Amino acid sequence: MGTAGHAPAAAPANTRGRVIVASMVGTTIEFFDFYAYATAASLVFPTLFFPEQSPTTQLLSSFAVFGVAFVARPLGSVLFGHFGDRIGRKRTLVASLLVMGIATFLIGILPPATTPGFSVLAPAILVLLRFCQGVGLGGEWSGAALLATENAPPGKRALYGTFPQLGAPIGFILTNVLFVVLSVTLSDEQFMSWGWRVPFLISAVLVVVGLWVRLRLMETPAFQRVLDEQRVAEVPVARVFTTAWKPLVLATLAMVATYVLFYMMTAFLMVVGTTPTTDPVPGLGYERPAFLAMLIIGVVFFGIFTLVSGPLADRVGRRSMLLVVTAGIAVFGLLLQPLISLGTVGVMVTLILGFTLMGLTFGPMAAFLPEMFAADVRYTGSAVSYNMASVIGAAPAPYALIALWTLLDGSLWLVGGYLVLAAAVTAVALLLGSETKDVDYLA
């Protein structure tokens, strides 16, 4: 990508406040939508959409549908990456938000499988809408990361990159606070009947807010330079595969541990935490609102250390920092079962440690991945690598972790081993790569 370089002295097209808000609000909305499904997949969808199956199979079916979005995300990355590298970041970000938002709203009005005539149709439509969610999210993250980092001052790309990353913890907190409120104010019958739909329907309001903010943006300086120099790729995905295949592979593998840790800490531990201790595969036996509250506390640390990671990565470099954090993730995998067996204090320590590591590994990625690619293919390259990592790391994770948990009758030793393996894959990719902190971002 070249040697160190800085943006021109002219004022950026977008003010700092507008860049921060537009990059953060979009990913907050996207992750709000995404978490709404993840939470419902744990708590509601098994019985609503797979009523004829056994409890374990219900849960596995629900998470299999959950994984459909991860299969769709690479398609979304190619689709939105193409337009992001050809017509610009702004309009592409508006389109990705609409796709995700409409699909989420429609999930909120979908009849359950127990409705006459919908025994097969309801699960099929759920799969389709989940696929559309994945397509939208496949284009969202990269565009938001580029919006932030391509407008960042010299030496502050990782800091600016943490703002779209904050959408993940903020979206999680908003979604789960809403689920806690619904859980404590509604009866189980009301929650299962209509309460679970509220987060999906509320997303329509959030999408309107996100569209309003993003439509006021100007194009980023880096893409404007691509236009001015007539470097726009005819087929960005073809150019990135022919000119940047090595960073594409390394960027993909560098995200694997992040994805596995993320879905272990959210979707998987929600199942473990709320499964009764008397079940055939015993869980931790917490009431749903209590464990959601514990998760929310953990996610606060996710948000704090996402912000902390930016200045650290700007100071010591992305690769060096991520290598240390990845080693910490491996150690955490080894300590998972011993920690969680210590009762409520141990569970809370597990959540805080896991989400702290999540913030430290997730925060720098919005700078690290895009920095591996030149400006003319940066949207496509970062989007494809980010979302291919989701296929490898995130798509099988909830299903595999539940299967490993079930295999040892509630013990988490194999689950921790799965996380160690993911950390090893990421560490190898980081060691084979190079530092990106000082690349010329306008090249």
Side-chain angles (χ1 to χ4, degrees):
M1 282 235 1
T3 57
H6 302 310
N14 297 301
T15 64
R16 179 175 61 182
R18 185 175 296 177
V19 168
I20 291 171
V21 172
S23 62
M24 186 163 58
V25 73
T27 51
T28 298
I29 294 167
E30 299 286 348
F31 279 103
F32 176 91
D33 293 349
F34 214 62
Y35 293 142
Y37 186 94
T39 304
S42 301
L43 305 178
V44 178
F45 288 171
T47 55
L48 286 185
F49 291 99
F50 309 100
E52 302 300 322
Q53 301 176 9
S54 68
T56 299
T57 309
Q58 284 179 341
L59 192 59
L60 290 173
S61 297
S62 181
F63 275 111
V65 178
F66 182 70
V68 166
F70 297 105
V71 177
R73 283 170 64 162
L75 174 62
S77 69
V78 172
L79 174 65
F80 289 108
H82 176 85
F83 291 107
D85 282 327
R86 284 193 55 78
I87 66 173
R89 314 329 190 190
K90 171 186 171 178
R91 285 183 285 178
T92 305
L93 278 168
V94 169
S96 69
L97 185 62
L98 279 172
V99 170
M100 180 78 173
I102 292 171
T104 304
F105 179 81
L106 292 177
I107 289 175
I109 61 174
L110 181 62
T114 52
T115 304
F118 279 86
S119 60
V120 175
L121 197 57
I125 295 174
L126 182 64
V127 170
L128 175 62
L129 294 177
R130 183 64 181 151
F131 185 87
C132 292
Q133 277 191 315
V135 169
L137 191 57
E140 167 60 30
W141 177 86
S142 184
L146 268 56
L147 171 64
T149 58
E150 289 185 345
N151 282 287
K156 293 187 177 180
R157 280 202 301 264
L159 172 62
Y160 269 58
T162 61
F163 292 111
Q165 304 299 73
L166 279 174
I170 292 173
F172 184 95
I173 290 171
L174 290 176
T175 304
N176 287 288
V177 164
L178 185 54
F179 268 104
V180 168
V181 171
L182 292 170
S183 296
V184 299
T185 56
L186 302 178
S187 67
D188 287 344
E189 291 77 14
Q190 290 173 320
F191 183 81
M192 293 295 292
S193 175
W194 59 267
W196 66 270
R197 300 179 183 274
V198 173
F200 293 91
L201 301 179
I202 285 178
S203 70
V205 178
L206 299 178
V207 168
V208 171
V209 173
L211 289 173
W212 177 76
V213 174
R214 288 184 169 181
L215 286 170
R216 300 177 66 209
L217 292 171
M218 302 293 288
E219 192 50 76
T220 69
F223 185 72
Q224 189 59 52
R225 183 166 174 177
V226 170
L227 292 175
D228 294 342
E229 296 178 354
Q230 298 183 344
R231 291 192 286 126
V232 176
E234 285 294 324
V235 185
V237 69
R239 182 178 290 184
V240 79
F241 272 100
T242 55
T243 65
W245 65 267
K246 182 178 178 181
L248 193 68
V249 172
L250 294 180
T252 297
L253 298 179
M255 279 289 299
V256 169
T258 303
Y259 269 120
V260 173
L261 177 63
F262 181 72
Y263 285 96
M264 187 188 81
M265 296 304 301
T266 53
F268 171 70
L269 284 184
M270 170 65 72
V271 175
V272 175
T274 56
T275 298
T277 57
T278 55
D279 271 23
V281 180
L284 300 177
Y286 290 95
E287 293 295 324
R288 183 172 61 214
F291 197 74
L292 281 173
M294 294 169 70
L295 276 176
I296 290 168
I297 293 170
V299 172
V300 170
F301 286 83
F302 181 9
I304 291 171
F305 282 91
T306 295
L307 273 178
V308 168
S309 72
L312 279 175
D314 279 327
R315 176 173 297 183
V316 306
R318 291 71 157 123
R319 179 173 173 268
S320 300
M321 178 182 170
L322 288 170
L323 278 168
V324 173
V325 176
T326 301
I329 292 172
V331 172
F332 177 70
L334 296 174
L335 295 176
L336 181 62
Q337 175 59 36
L339 280 175
I340 216 161
S341 64
L342 296 177
T344 298
V345 172
V347 173
M348 203 65 246
V349 169
T350 300
L351 293 175
I352 290 172
L353 283 177
F355 279 116
T356 295
L357 289 167
M358 187 61 220
L360 291 172
T361 185
F362 188 59
M365 289 297 179
F368 182 55
L369 266 60
E371 285 169 351
M372 294 187 179
F373 303 95
D376 57 340
V377 293
R378 185 171 293 141
Y379 203 125
T380 300
S382 56
V384 169
S385 58
Y386 181 83
N387 290 290
M388 282 303 297
S390 78
V391 174
I392 300 170
Y399 194 97
L401 295 176
I402 288 174
L404 293 172
W405 172 58
T406 303
L407 186 63
L408 291 189
D409 296 324
S411 171
L412 298 178
W413 283 110
L414 288 179
V415 170
Y418 191 91
L419 183 60
V420 172
L421 178 61
V425 170
T426 289
V428 170
L430 292 171
L431 289 169
L432 291 175
S434 57
E435 182 54 63
T436 61
K437 180 170 73 77
D438 296 320
V439 298
D440 182 357
Y441 214 46
L442 294 176

